[in-house]
Amino acid sequence: MTDTAHTELIEAVRFDEKGLVPAIAQDHATGEVLMFAWMNRESLEKTLSEMRACYWSRSRGKLWVKGESSGHTQKVVSVRLDCDGDVLLLSIEQQGGACHTGHRSCFYRVADNGRWREDGQKVFNKDEVYGAA
């Protein structure tokens, strides 16, 4: 893809007043929603150029290439834009867990009888990957 094509793609995205757009990462093979994060123009450009997921970390105020510290990377298969142009959907091949808690998906809790119940699969020990907090 050329830089011109990236420019045209990015210009179609409606970023919010903070310059961000929501991005949902979905497993390419299973359709499972793995995580939600934010992207800015720079992270979207990097994602489109490298086909490796890159997000904007609001808490750290910097680009965040998924897997840079954990090794749990996301190879991007495709990027979709919703009808309003304000949400991205990344179809990805996930290596390791997507969630920093050690779960395969960040959506590992389900509402059950007035409480949140964990039902997601743990795929790694977060203390071994990130160190004990």
Side-chain angles (χ1 to χ4, degrees):
M1 214 176 269
T2 65
D3 289 339
T4 303
H6 287 174
T7 300
E8 291 173 14
L9 290 171
I10 292 170
E11 289 303 315
V13 176
R14 291 179 49 203
F15 294 91
D16 70 12
E17 66 280 351
K18 295 178 182 175
L20 302 174
V21 63
I24 300 164
Q26 182 178 37
D27 185 279
H28 177 68
T30 67
E32 179 183 18
V33 174
L34 298 177
M35 61 174 278
F36 164 83
W38 295 95
M39 287 186 155
N40 65 5
R41 288 179 188 273
E42 186 179 2
S43 64
L44 179 53
E45 172 65 41
K46 188 172 179 72
T47 297
L48 291 168
S49 295
E50 299 178 10
M51 295 306 281
R52 180 175 169 194
C54 179
Y55 303 103
W56 176 254
S57 171
R58 294 179 306 160
S59 61
R60 292 177 268 173
K62 67 176 193 168
L63 290 181
W64 157 45
V65 176
K66 182 67 175 157
E68 65 190 347
S69 60
S70 67
H72 300 166
T73 60
Q74 293 178 342
K75 178 184 174 192
V76 177
V77 177
S78 68
V79 179
R80 292 178 180 264
L81 183 62
D82 81 328
C83 58
D84 294 323
D86 60 1
V87 178
L88 296 168
L89 177 64
L90 279 62
S91 179
I92 58 148
E93 293 175 358
Q94 177 71 47
Q95 296 299 313
C99 185
H100 71 282
T101 65
H103 290 86
R104 173 165 166 71
S105 168
C106 293
F107 297 95
Y108 62 90
R109 295 180 283 192
V110 62
D112 182 12
N113 203 22
R115 302 185 69 154
W116 291 110
R117 177 179 51 82
E118 290 190 17
D119 76 341
Q121 176 187 14
K122 281 257 190 175
V123 293
F124 70 94
N125 182 321
K126 69 180 181 82
D127 293 339
E128 290 175 4
V129 172
Y130 300 110

